[in-house]
Amino acid sequence: MTCTQYREWIDELVDGTIVPIRRAELERHLALCSACRGLAADLQTIRDTAASLDPLEPPAGAWLQIAGRLRQQGRVAPPTQADAKPATRHTALLAIAAALVLLVGGSIALIWTDFRGRNTAAPPMAAAPTSPAPAPASNAQTDVAVESVEAEFREAERHYQNAIAKLEQAARLDQAASGGPQAALDPQTAAMLQKNLQVLDQAIAESRSALRAEPQSAAAAGTLFEALRRKVALLQDTIALMNEMRKGNAAGAAQIVDGANKS
Amino acid sequence: MSPVASSARAEDMALVERCRRGDLGAFEELYRAHAGRLFSVACRMLGNPADAEDLLQEIFLSAHRKLESFRGESALGTWLYRLATNHCLDYLRSRAARTNQVTDALDDEAGQFEPGGRTLAEQTVTKMDLERALAGLPEGCRAAFVLHDVQGLEHREVAEALGIAEGTSKSQVHKARLRLRTLLRG
């Protein structure tokens, strides 16, 4: 047999699926052939390192977005009588707020995707605000893209503000209806969420000013998108938190608060 | 089919049936059981967590629509892998078309037997090195490699997930390993 013919056996050796008779013959060949021995060692290293790669966890808000879109599409059954809580009005408002926030989150993601599609030089969403702006491929094309994105932004923001108002209203009603801390946000958590929202509002205002001063700056647009995305994520966390507290799941609520504190 | 596999298949079908009736709790159960694995595959195939997050939503929305046609002929996990890898491959093709990228041709024999130089076993190959090198693989063999060597699927399952022959899965994984070897020895 030639080295090329031993190739398949080397893969089987690395995978641990080689039958004993082949293994014995391959080992005899490897003892004599340094090239095949090197290949086998390298493939084993690659296989072992690949198997040790850590699993990646999807972001905490991903399920909420999927659930929200399924509800919007009417693909899931409404809650049964047995699931319904006595305070149905604020629950319904919370669901509306969640749907609106999810809708706006989706809009922002779409706008961002569109922007990236039109201006491939734009930095990724996670880019730091201080990243230098890459030169646009075509100024005229970028002007159109920025104008279009700004128009879509304005529309998305209108819904966004509406969602925030509904969410705040839902939170107020929730607190009033439950009369206890279990179903409502405690003052410390509410203050933390409020503070984070203020910081994000400030970032949104500043990046919007920067974009107004430099409408063609991909870095400024990227920062604005990132701030909006973070605000949507924070609102999603707030909804998730209220749901966990309503269910009396203190551990789940603590995990969300911890995540919101880190973001 | 072994009794264990048969029982797992029956559990899959029961869960799918609840999802079909519009039970959001059942679909959340399905999501919690499979989202981590599918997100890992999407991240490694697309090389970008933000894109993978967007795609994860599309994968599960599409799964919810297509559960009607799930007959339990394969395990639910394998069926979901197939759905996810199809979404990833479509996305990569569309991204390549948008940016006029040309898919790499794969030189099967490149770097296979050249003598000399340190072997990978003699140098330190970190997980990060491998994650970076993965991005340099052509799409088809990257998918097979991620499913087989990273996720631990057998070639039979990889073949089922990717809709290819088992022999093709073996050949794609082998090509991926050779290309990674070349990239890692840099």
PDB file of all heavy atoms in Angstrom, chain A residues 5-36:
ATOM      1  N   GLN A   5      -2.925   5.588   0.227  1.00  0.00           N
ATOM      2  CA  GLN A   5      -3.936   4.582   0.578  1.00  0.00           C
ATOM      3  C   GLN A   5      -4.119   4.457   2.091  1.00  0.00           C
ATOM      4  O   GLN A   5      -5.174   4.043   2.561  1.00  0.00           O
ATOM      5  CB  GLN A   5      -3.556   3.228  -0.042  1.00  0.00           C
ATOM      6  CG  GLN A   5      -3.754   3.229  -1.556  1.00  0.00           C
ATOM      7  CD  GLN A   5      -3.101   2.022  -2.213  1.00  0.00           C
ATOM      8  OE1 GLN A   5      -1.966   1.655  -1.927  1.00  0.00           O
ATOM      9  NE2 GLN A   5      -3.833   1.394  -3.115  1.00  0.00           N
ATOM     10  N   TYR A   6      -3.080   4.810   2.855  1.00  0.00           N
ATOM     11  CA  TYR A   6      -3.201   4.741   4.318  1.00  0.00           C
ATOM     12  C   TYR A   6      -3.990   5.940   4.886  1.00  0.00           C
ATOM     13  O   TYR A   6      -4.313   5.958   6.060  1.00  0.00           O
ATOM     14  CB  TYR A   6      -1.806   4.720   4.969  1.00  0.00           C
ATOM     15  CG  TYR A   6      -1.157   3.353   4.946  1.00  0.00           C
ATOM     16  CD1 TYR A   6       0.010   3.122   4.237  1.00  0.00           C
ATOM     17  CD2 TYR A   6      -1.725   2.295   5.661  1.00  0.00           C
ATOM     18  CE1 TYR A   6       0.601   1.864   4.219  1.00  0.00           C
ATOM     19  CE2 TYR A   6      -1.136   1.031   5.648  1.00  0.00           C
ATOM     20  CZ  TYR A   6       0.019   0.830   4.925  1.00  0.00           C
ATOM     21  OH  TYR A   6       0.585  -0.407   4.918  1.00  0.00           O
ATOM     22  N   ARG A   7      -4.229   6.942   4.015  1.00  0.00           N
ATOM     23  CA  ARG A   7      -4.837   8.193   4.477  1.00  0.00           C
ATOM     24  C   ARG A   7      -6.172   7.957   5.199  1.00  0.00           C
ATOM     25  O   ARG A   7      -6.421   8.490   6.274  1.00  0.00           O
ATOM     26  CB  ARG A   7      -5.056   9.104   3.258  1.00  0.00           C
ATOM     27  CG  ARG A   7      -5.444  10.502   3.603  1.00  0.00           C
ATOM     28  CD  ARG A   7      -5.526  11.335   2.384  1.00  0.00           C
ATOM     29  NE  ARG A   7      -6.563  10.866   1.458  1.00  0.00           N
ATOM     30  CZ  ARG A   7      -6.901  11.492   0.342  1.00  0.00           C
ATOM     31  NH1 ARG A   7      -6.260  12.570  -0.021  1.00  0.00           N
ATOM     32  NH2 ARG A   7      -7.859  11.034  -0.425  1.00  0.00           N
ATOM     33  N   GLU A   8      -7.033   7.125   4.580  1.00  0.00           N
ATOM     34  CA  GLU A   8      -8.358   6.885   5.167  1.00  0.00           C
ATOM     35  C   GLU A   8      -8.218   6.186   6.523  1.00  0.00           C
ATOM     36  O   GLU A   8      -8.957   6.472   7.462  1.00  0.00           O
ATOM     37  CB  GLU A   8      -9.176   6.016   4.209  1.00  0.00           C
ATOM     38  CG  GLU A   8     -10.633   5.899   4.617  1.00  0.00           C
ATOM     39  CD  GLU A   8     -11.402   4.959   3.689  1.00  0.00           C
ATOM     40  OE1 GLU A   8     -11.015   4.826   2.506  1.00  0.00           O
ATOM     41  OE2 GLU A   8     -12.357   4.349   4.159  1.00  0.00           O
ATOM     42  N   TRP A   9      -7.243   5.324   6.612  1.00  0.00           N
ATOM     43  CA  TRP A   9      -7.036   4.592   7.870  1.00  0.00           C
ATOM     44  C   TRP A   9      -6.569   5.547   8.971  1.00  0.00           C
ATOM     45  O   TRP A   9      -6.884   5.346  10.139  1.00  0.00           O
ATOM     46  CB  TRP A   9      -6.022   3.466   7.677  1.00  0.00           C
ATOM     47  CG  TRP A   9      -6.524   2.342   6.804  1.00  0.00           C
ATOM     48  CD1 TRP A   9      -7.663   2.338   6.047  1.00  0.00           C
ATOM     49  CD2 TRP A   9      -5.904   1.080   6.618  1.00  0.00           C
ATOM     50  NE1 TRP A   9      -7.795   1.155   5.382  1.00  0.00           N
ATOM     51  CE2 TRP A   9      -6.723   0.342   5.711  1.00  0.00           C
ATOM     52  CE3 TRP A   9      -4.745   0.489   7.090  1.00  0.00           C
ATOM     53  CZ2 TRP A   9      -6.408  -0.941   5.292  1.00  0.00           C
ATOM     54  CZ3 TRP A   9      -4.428  -0.799   6.678  1.00  0.00           C
ATOM     55  CH2 TRP A   9      -5.258  -1.513   5.790  1.00  0.00           C
ATOM     56  N   ILE A  10      -5.772   6.551   8.557  1.00  0.00           N
ATOM     57  CA  ILE A  10      -5.293   7.521   9.564  1.00  0.00           C
ATOM     58  C   ILE A  10      -6.493   8.276  10.156  1.00  0.00           C
ATOM     59  O   ILE A  10      -6.574   8.491  11.364  1.00  0.00           O
ATOM     60  CB  ILE A  10      -4.256   8.487   8.941  1.00  0.00           C
ATOM     61  CG1 ILE A  10      -2.952   7.727   8.665  1.00  0.00           C
ATOM     62  CG2 ILE A  10      -3.993   9.683   9.855  1.00  0.00           C
ATOM     63  CD1 ILE A  10      -1.876   8.517   7.950  1.00  0.00           C
ATOM     64  N   ASP A  11      -7.443   8.623   9.288  1.00  0.00           N
ATOM     65  CA  ASP A  11      -8.656   9.278   9.800  1.00  0.00           C
ATOM     66  C   ASP A  11      -9.411   8.362  10.754  1.00  0.00           C
ATOM     67  O   ASP A  11      -9.904   8.808  11.796  1.00  0.00           O
ATOM     68  CB  ASP A  11      -9.575   9.679   8.636  1.00  0.00           C
ATOM     69  CG  ASP A  11      -9.216  11.053   8.108  1.00  0.00           C
ATOM     70  OD1 ASP A  11      -9.042  11.975   8.920  1.00  0.00           O
ATOM     71  OD2 ASP A  11      -9.097  11.202   6.875  1.00  0.00           O
ATOM     72  N   GLU A  12      -9.503   7.103  10.399  1.00  0.00           N
ATOM     73  CA  GLU A  12     -10.212   6.147  11.264  1.00  0.00           C
ATOM     74  C   GLU A  12      -9.480   5.988  12.593  1.00  0.00           C
ATOM     75  O   GLU A  12     -10.105   5.867  13.647  1.00  0.00           O
ATOM     76  CB  GLU A  12     -10.343   4.787  10.563  1.00  0.00           C
ATOM     77  CG  GLU A  12     -11.322   4.817   9.399  1.00  0.00           C
ATOM     78  CD  GLU A  12     -11.371   3.481   8.649  1.00  0.00           C
ATOM     79  OE1 GLU A  12     -10.690   2.524   9.063  1.00  0.00           O
ATOM     80  OE2 GLU A  12     -12.085   3.406   7.638  1.00  0.00           O
ATOM     81  N   LEU A  13      -8.146   6.015  12.521  1.00  0.00           N
ATOM     82  CA  LEU A  13      -7.348   5.915  13.754  1.00  0.00           C
ATOM     83  C   LEU A  13      -7.647   7.115  14.667  1.00  0.00           C
ATOM     84  O   LEU A  13      -7.879   6.966  15.868  1.00  0.00           O
ATOM     85  CB  LEU A  13      -5.856   5.879  13.391  1.00  0.00           C
ATOM     86  CG  LEU A  13      -4.876   5.781  14.561  1.00  0.00           C
ATOM     87  CD1 LEU A  13      -4.926   4.395  15.195  1.00  0.00           C
ATOM     88  CD2 LEU A  13      -3.446   6.084  14.105  1.00  0.00           C
ATOM     89  N   VAL A  14      -7.650   8.294  14.049  1.00  0.00           N
ATOM     90  CA  VAL A  14      -7.903   9.530  14.799  1.00  0.00           C
ATOM     91  C   VAL A  14      -9.319   9.525  15.404  1.00  0.00           C
ATOM     92  O   VAL A  14      -9.534   9.969  16.529  1.00  0.00           O
ATOM     93  CB  VAL A  14      -7.705  10.746  13.847  1.00  0.00           C
ATOM     94  CG1 VAL A  14      -8.271  12.017  14.442  1.00  0.00           C
ATOM     95  CG2 VAL A  14      -6.228  10.923  13.527  1.00  0.00           C
ATOM     96  N   ASP A  15     -10.270   8.986  14.646  1.00  0.00           N
ATOM     97  CA  ASP A  15     -11.665   8.957  15.128  1.00  0.00           C
ATOM     98  C   ASP A  15     -11.923   7.811  16.097  1.00  0.00           C
ATOM     99  O   ASP A  15     -13.000   7.748  16.704  1.00  0.00           O
ATOM    100  CB  ASP A  15     -12.631   8.806  13.936  1.00  0.00           C
ATOM    101  CG  ASP A  15     -12.664  10.057  13.077  1.00  0.00           C
ATOM    102  OD1 ASP A  15     -12.303  11.126  13.603  1.00  0.00           O
ATOM    103  OD2 ASP A  15     -13.039   9.959  11.894  1.00  0.00           O
ATOM    104  N   GLY A  16     -10.968   6.890  16.213  1.00  0.00           N
ATOM    105  CA  GLY A  16     -11.157   5.735  17.101  1.00  0.00           C
ATOM    106  C   GLY A  16     -12.110   4.708  16.533  1.00  0.00           C
ATOM    107  O   GLY A  16     -12.705   3.935  17.282  1.00  0.00           O
ATOM    108  N   THR A  17     -12.255   4.700  15.206  1.00  0.00           N
ATOM    109  CA  THR A  17     -13.191   3.744  14.599  1.00  0.00           C
ATOM    110  C   THR A  17     -12.474   2.663  13.785  1.00  0.00           C
ATOM    111  O   THR A  17     -13.117   1.871  13.103  1.00  0.00           O
ATOM    112  CB  THR A  17     -14.189   4.470  13.662  1.00  0.00           C
ATOM    113  OG1 THR A  17     -13.428   5.183  12.681  1.00  0.00           O
ATOM    114  CG2 THR A  17     -15.071   5.441  14.423  1.00  0.00           C
ATOM    115  N   ILE A  18     -11.141   2.648  13.843  1.00  0.00           N
ATOM    116  CA  ILE A  18     -10.387   1.687  13.029  1.00  0.00           C
ATOM    117  C   ILE A  18     -10.517   0.270  13.622  1.00  0.00           C
ATOM    118  O   ILE A  18     -10.513   0.098  14.846  1.00  0.00           O
ATOM    119  CB  ILE A  18      -8.896   2.130  12.929  1.00  0.00           C
ATOM    120  CG1 ILE A  18      -8.187   1.352  11.828  1.00  0.00           C
ATOM    121  CG2 ILE A  18      -8.190   2.006  14.265  1.00  0.00           C
ATOM    122  CD1 ILE A  18      -6.852   1.967  11.425  1.00  0.00           C
ATOM    123  N   VAL A  19     -10.648  -0.710  12.731  1.00  0.00           N
ATOM    124  CA  VAL A  19     -10.776  -2.097  13.217  1.00  0.00           C
ATOM    125  C   VAL A  19      -9.368  -2.629  13.551  1.00  0.00           C
ATOM    126  O   VAL A  19      -8.382  -2.181  12.966  1.00  0.00           O
ATOM    127  CB  VAL A  19     -11.475  -2.998  12.172  1.00  0.00           C
ATOM    128  CG1 VAL A  19     -12.920  -2.572  11.987  1.00  0.00           C
ATOM    129  CG2 VAL A  19     -10.729  -2.991  10.852  1.00  0.00           C
ATOM    130  N   PRO A  20      -9.282  -3.563  14.491  1.00  0.00           N
ATOM    131  CA  PRO A  20      -7.964  -3.989  15.004  1.00  0.00           C
ATOM    132  C   PRO A  20      -6.993  -4.440  13.924  1.00  0.00           C
ATOM    133  O   PRO A  20      -5.802  -4.100  13.977  1.00  0.00           O
ATOM    134  CB  PRO A  20      -8.316  -5.150  15.940  1.00  0.00           C
ATOM    135  CG  PRO A  20      -9.709  -4.851  16.387  1.00  0.00           C
ATOM    136  CD  PRO A  20     -10.384  -4.175  15.244  1.00  0.00           C
ATOM    137  N   ILE A  21      -7.480  -5.166  12.915  1.00  0.00           N
ATOM    138  CA  ILE A  21      -6.548  -5.697  11.912  1.00  0.00           C
ATOM    139  C   ILE A  21      -5.904  -4.567  11.104  1.00  0.00           C
ATOM    140  O   ILE A  21      -4.705  -4.579  10.809  1.00  0.00           O
ATOM    141  CB  ILE A  21      -7.261  -6.745  11.015  1.00  0.00           C
ATOM    142  CG1 ILE A  21      -6.228  -7.525  10.225  1.00  0.00           C
ATOM    143  CG2 ILE A  21      -8.287  -6.133  10.102  1.00  0.00           C
ATOM    144  CD1 ILE A  21      -6.778  -8.829   9.651  1.00  0.00           C
ATOM    145  N   ARG A  22      -6.691  -3.562  10.775  1.00  0.00           N
ATOM    146  CA  ARG A  22      -6.150  -2.398  10.054  1.00  0.00           C
ATOM    147  C   ARG A  22      -5.212  -1.607  10.959  1.00  0.00           C
ATOM    148  O   ARG A  22      -4.184  -1.101  10.537  1.00  0.00           O
ATOM    149  CB  ARG A  22      -7.293  -1.464   9.628  1.00  0.00           C
ATOM    150  CG  ARG A  22      -8.000  -1.897   8.377  1.00  0.00           C
ATOM    151  CD  ARG A  22      -8.930  -0.807   7.922  1.00  0.00           C
ATOM    152  NE  ARG A  22      -9.633  -1.189   6.727  1.00  0.00           N
ATOM    153  CZ  ARG A  22     -10.494  -0.416   6.105  1.00  0.00           C
ATOM    154  NH1 ARG A  22     -10.771   0.785   6.566  1.00  0.00           N
ATOM    155  NH2 ARG A  22     -11.081  -0.810   5.010  1.00  0.00           N
ATOM    156  N   ARG A  23      -5.608  -1.491  12.205  1.00  0.00           N
ATOM    157  CA  ARG A  23      -4.815  -0.720  13.160  1.00  0.00           C
ATOM    158  C   ARG A  23      -3.402  -1.288  13.253  1.00  0.00           C
ATOM    159  O   ARG A  23      -2.422  -0.537  13.220  1.00  0.00           O
ATOM    160  CB  ARG A  23      -5.503  -0.739  14.530  1.00  0.00           C
ATOM    161  CG  ARG A  23      -4.804   0.137  15.544  1.00  0.00           C
ATOM    162  CD  ARG A  23      -5.380  -0.042  16.947  1.00  0.00           C
ATOM    163  NE  ARG A  23      -4.721   0.900  17.824  1.00  0.00           N
ATOM    164  CZ  ARG A  23      -5.264   2.001  18.278  1.00  0.00           C
ATOM    165  NH1 ARG A  23      -6.511   2.288  18.000  1.00  0.00           N
ATOM    166  NH2 ARG A  23      -4.579   2.821  19.038  1.00  0.00           N
ATOM    167  N   ALA A  24      -3.305  -2.614  13.342  1.00  0.00           N
ATOM    168  CA  ALA A  24      -1.998  -3.251  13.466  1.00  0.00           C
ATOM    169  C   ALA A  24      -1.147  -2.953  12.230  1.00  0.00           C
ATOM    170  O   ALA A  24       0.035  -2.598  12.333  1.00  0.00           O
ATOM    171  CB  ALA A  24      -2.183  -4.754  13.646  1.00  0.00           C
ATOM    172  N   GLU A  25      -1.769  -3.045  11.047  1.00  0.00           N
ATOM    173  CA  GLU A  25      -1.013  -2.795   9.814  1.00  0.00           C
ATOM    174  C   GLU A  25      -0.595  -1.325   9.718  1.00  0.00           C
ATOM    175  O   GLU A  25       0.530  -1.002   9.345  1.00  0.00           O
ATOM    176  CB  GLU A  25      -1.861  -3.195   8.599  1.00  0.00           C
ATOM    177  CG  GLU A  25      -1.046  -3.105   7.318  1.00  0.00           C
ATOM    178  CD  GLU A  25      -1.831  -3.493   6.082  1.00  0.00           C
ATOM    179  OE1 GLU A  25      -2.813  -4.247   6.191  1.00  0.00           O
ATOM    180  OE2 GLU A  25      -1.439  -3.002   5.000  1.00  0.00           O
ATOM    181  N   LEU A  26      -1.541  -0.436  10.088  1.00  0.00           N
ATOM    182  CA  LEU A  26      -1.229   0.997  10.027  1.00  0.00           C
ATOM    183  C   LEU A  26      -0.098   1.332  10.996  1.00  0.00           C
ATOM    184  O   LEU A  26       0.810   2.107  10.660  1.00  0.00           O
ATOM    185  CB  LEU A  26      -2.482   1.824  10.362  1.00  0.00           C
ATOM    186  CG  LEU A  26      -2.300   3.333  10.378  1.00  0.00           C
ATOM    187  CD1 LEU A  26      -1.861   3.859   9.006  1.00  0.00           C
ATOM    188  CD2 LEU A  26      -3.581   4.049  10.795  1.00  0.00           C
ATOM    189  N   GLU A  27      -0.144   0.775  12.175  1.00  0.00           N
ATOM    190  CA  GLU A  27       0.900   1.074  13.161  1.00  0.00           C
ATOM    191  C   GLU A  27       2.275   0.618  12.661  1.00  0.00           C
ATOM    192  O   GLU A  27       3.283   1.287  12.905  1.00  0.00           O
ATOM    193  CB  GLU A  27       0.549   0.448  14.512  1.00  0.00           C
ATOM    194  CG  GLU A  27      -0.481   1.318  15.239  1.00  0.00           C
ATOM    195  CD  GLU A  27      -0.983   0.721  16.534  1.00  0.00           C
ATOM    196  OE1 GLU A  27      -0.650  -0.445  16.813  1.00  0.00           O
ATOM    197  OE2 GLU A  27      -1.725   1.414  17.247  1.00  0.00           O
ATOM    198  N   ARG A  28       2.292  -0.489  11.949  1.00  0.00           N
ATOM    199  CA  ARG A  28       3.573  -0.952  11.370  1.00  0.00           C
ATOM    200  C   ARG A  28       4.064   0.075  10.347  1.00  0.00           C
ATOM    201  O   ARG A  28       5.235   0.415  10.304  1.00  0.00           O
ATOM    202  CB  ARG A  28       3.397  -2.319  10.685  1.00  0.00           C
ATOM    203  CG  ARG A  28       3.470  -3.497  11.670  1.00  0.00           C
ATOM    204  CD  ARG A  28       3.675  -4.824  10.949  1.00  0.00           C
ATOM    205  NE  ARG A  28       2.570  -5.171  10.067  1.00  0.00           N
ATOM    206  CZ  ARG A  28       1.453  -5.752  10.481  1.00  0.00           C
ATOM    207  NH1 ARG A  28       1.292  -6.062  11.761  1.00  0.00           N
ATOM    208  NH2 ARG A  28       0.489  -6.046   9.637  1.00  0.00           N
ATOM    209  N   HIS A  29       3.128   0.600   9.542  1.00  0.00           N
ATOM    210  CA  HIS A  29       3.511   1.597   8.536  1.00  0.00           C
ATOM    211  C   HIS A  29       3.989   2.899   9.215  1.00  0.00           C
ATOM    212  O   HIS A  29       5.009   3.469   8.823  1.00  0.00           O
ATOM    213  CB  HIS A  29       2.324   1.895   7.608  1.00  0.00           C
ATOM    214  CG  HIS A  29       2.598   3.014   6.656  1.00  0.00           C
ATOM    215  ND1 HIS A  29       3.439   2.881   5.566  1.00  0.00           N
ATOM    216  CD2 HIS A  29       2.170   4.304   6.637  1.00  0.00           C
ATOM    217  CE1 HIS A  29       3.516   4.028   4.916  1.00  0.00           C
ATOM    218  NE2 HIS A  29       2.757   4.911   5.548  1.00  0.00           N
ATOM    219  N   LEU A  30       3.272   3.308  10.239  1.00  0.00           N
ATOM    220  CA  LEU A  30       3.632   4.565  10.918  1.00  0.00           C
ATOM    221  C   LEU A  30       5.018   4.468  11.572  1.00  0.00           C
ATOM    222  O   LEU A  30       5.750   5.459  11.638  1.00  0.00           O
ATOM    223  CB  LEU A  30       2.588   4.925  11.985  1.00  0.00           C
ATOM    224  CG  LEU A  30       1.191   5.296  11.474  1.00  0.00           C
ATOM    225  CD1 LEU A  30       0.260   5.649  12.636  1.00  0.00           C
ATOM    226  CD2 LEU A  30       1.237   6.454  10.484  1.00  0.00           C
ATOM    227  N   ALA A  31       5.357   3.274  12.008  1.00  0.00           N
ATOM    228  CA  ALA A  31       6.674   3.097  12.636  1.00  0.00           C
ATOM    229  C   ALA A  31       7.800   3.330  11.632  1.00  0.00           C
ATOM    230  O   ALA A  31       8.901   3.751  11.999  1.00  0.00           O
ATOM    231  CB  ALA A  31       6.773   1.688  13.222  1.00  0.00           C
ATOM    232  N   LEU A  32       7.496   3.114  10.363  1.00  0.00           N
ATOM    233  CA  LEU A  32       8.525   3.247   9.322  1.00  0.00           C
ATOM    234  C   LEU A  32       8.458   4.567   8.558  1.00  0.00           C
ATOM    235  O   LEU A  32       9.432   4.979   7.950  1.00  0.00           O
ATOM    236  CB  LEU A  32       8.377   2.093   8.306  1.00  0.00           C
ATOM    237  CG  LEU A  32       8.528   0.683   8.874  1.00  0.00           C
ATOM    238  CD1 LEU A  32       8.132  -0.354   7.821  1.00  0.00           C
ATOM    239  CD2 LEU A  32       9.972   0.451   9.326  1.00  0.00           C
ATOM    240  N   CYS A  33       7.282   5.225   8.559  1.00  0.00           N
ATOM    241  CA  CYS A  33       7.086   6.410   7.701  1.00  0.00           C
ATOM    242  C   CYS A  33       6.871   7.667   8.542  1.00  0.00           C
ATOM    243  O   CYS A  33       5.813   7.849   9.158  1.00  0.00           O
ATOM    244  CB  CYS A  33       5.875   6.170   6.785  1.00  0.00           C
ATOM    245  SG  CYS A  33       5.499   7.599   5.773  1.00  0.00           S
ATOM    246  N   SER A  34       7.868   8.550   8.555  1.00  0.00           N
ATOM    247  CA  SER A  34       7.773   9.745   9.412  1.00  0.00           C
ATOM    248  C   SER A  34       6.728  10.727   8.891  1.00  0.00           C
ATOM    249  O   SER A  34       6.088  11.433   9.673  1.00  0.00           O
ATOM    250  CB  SER A  34       9.134  10.425   9.519  1.00  0.00           C
ATOM    251  OG  SER A  34       9.510  10.912   8.252  1.00  0.00           O
ATOM    252  N   ALA A  35       6.519  10.773   7.555  1.00  0.00           N
ATOM    253  CA  ALA A  35       5.523  11.718   7.004  1.00  0.00           C
ATOM    254  C   ALA A  35       4.118  11.330   7.467  1.00  0.00           C
ATOM    255  O   ALA A  35       3.346  12.182   7.921  1.00  0.00           O
ATOM    256  CB  ALA A  35       5.594  11.724   5.482  1.00  0.00           C
ATOM    257  N   CYS A  36       3.797  10.038   7.375  1.00  0.00           N
ATOM    258  CA  CYS A  36       2.468   9.589   7.817  1.00  0.00           C
ATOM    259  C   CYS A  36       2.334   9.708   9.327  1.00  0.00           C
ATOM    260  O   CYS A  36       1.265  10.027   9.844  1.00  0.00           O
ATOM    261  CB  CYS A  36       2.206   8.147   7.375  1.00  0.00           C
ATOM    262  SG  CYS A  36       1.799   8.032   5.617  1.00  0.00           S
TER     263      CYS A  36
END
